[in-house]
Amino acid sequence: TLFAHPDFDDHERILFAHDAASGLEAIVAIHSTRLGPAAGGCRMWPYASEEEAIADALRLSRGMTYKNAVAGLDLGGGKAVIIADPRTQKTPELLRAFGRAVETLGGRYVTAEDVGVSVEDMEIVRETTAHVAGLSSGAHASGDPSPVTARGVFEGVRRAMKVATGSDDLAGRTVAVQGLGHVGRHLCALLHAAGARLVVSDIDPARIADAERVFDARAVAPDAIVATEADVFAPCALGGVLDDVSIPRLKARIVAGAANNQLARPEHADALHARGILYVPDFALNAGGIINVAREIEGRTDERWLDERLARMVDNIEAILVEARDRGVSPNGVAEAFARARLA
Ligand code: NAD
């Protein structure tokens, strides 16, 4: 059932969109429009089952509500998932059919790119809906949000280091980056420039080779990155990486990365806390991209607004980490309470 689903959390609306001609099978989950139109990216992934896709859509959309609330944006939370392999099943017809589905929601949901979907894809989605952001052309186009997401994660890693060690200097620190995609690669560039040593993993050998060459990174196998000796573990691939198996294997004292829904279950935040690992809540840390998208939705072009919002986001993160430290609790609960207070 859906209403009794463990990840169903008072979601306002869920759209199941199907288009036989293009093969579109999509789920748009609107968790909350309390603070404004629900905004969140569209993910394309070859889910093994519909149940898996539904659970992902529900969890991701709720995460967007919290993320937008903590970032201080006047946006609600929503997310779309398309059940398809982006390498073989992504066609312009399918993207246009997705746009038509988004258009039926009349602006309650604004879509953008996420895993498996690019800025170029969103230009096609735009042909059939007005409710799309993260575009590369047009009056307020904000383009690929990933560099801004990476900037936010990078600054957040520095603040976490400051809270954990008293210094935000990353020179000589080791950061283990899982996933060298849009965000992971930009993050590596910033970390490398700051003098950090990089250990990386990806399932794509070309991305590994690039990181070895450009950032002097050391590569490890995908299943070894969690247990790498490092100061920071930065998950930048998919969600659910922090679970009963991985948490006991972690060697880093800080977990801070871009991936959404890193905790397999909420109680894994406490498991990290019990091990003395500082976990920076993903939804607070990876809001740079949606801040960039919000700038486009609000029709702004100025960089100052973006810089000011990013600075506020990073200050919020430090405040959350300090409060959690002072109270001896996990930062995750503190960040969620921060979001709930704004929603109330
Ligand atoms: P992406 O698809 O560009 O990159 C993901 C990378 O992870 C790819 O290189 C892929 O090969 C790799 N990968 C997949 N499985 C892996 C595994 N088991 N081990 C190691 N690497 C693996 O996606 P992205 O845009 O960089 O986003 C990364 C994460 O950050 C996602 O969880 C996304 O939801 C989240 N996020 C992204 C943004 C953004 O601005 N793009 C914003 C907020 C959150």
Side-chain angles (χ1 to χ4, degrees), residues 173-263:
R173 299 283 189 187
T174 302
V175 184
V177 180
Q178 179 184 46
L180 299 166
H182 288 94
V183 183
R185 193 185 187 283
H186 285 296
L187 179 63
C188 284
L190 294 168
L191 292 166
H192 181 64
R197 279 197 286 265
L198 296 174
V199 183
V200 298
S201 79
D202 199 287
I203 50 173
D204 182 342
R207 293 185 176 177
I208 289 284
D210 167 74
E212 285 175 325
R213 192 181 67 248
V214 182
F215 307 123
D216 199 19
R218 181 166 70 84
V220 297
D223 62 357
I225 191 81
V226 164
T228 297
E229 270 319 327
D231 298 287
V232 181
F233 171 54
C236 297
L238 291 176
V241 287
L242 303 170
D243 61 13
D244 294 338
V245 177
S246 65
I247 291 173
R249 294 177 67 215
L250 275 169
K251 298 213 178 65
R253 65 192 297 184
I254 295 169
V255 174
N260 283 308
N261 296 339
Q262 291 168 29
L263 301 168

Side-chain angles (χ1 to χ4, degrees), residues 6 19 24 64 76 92 136 146 155 157 183 186 219 222 232 270 276 312 326:
D19 177 66
L24 176 75
M64 287 310 301
S136 56
S146 315
E155 293 298 338
V157 166
V183 183
H186 285 296
V232 181
D270 298 322
R312 201 189 296 178
D326 293 350

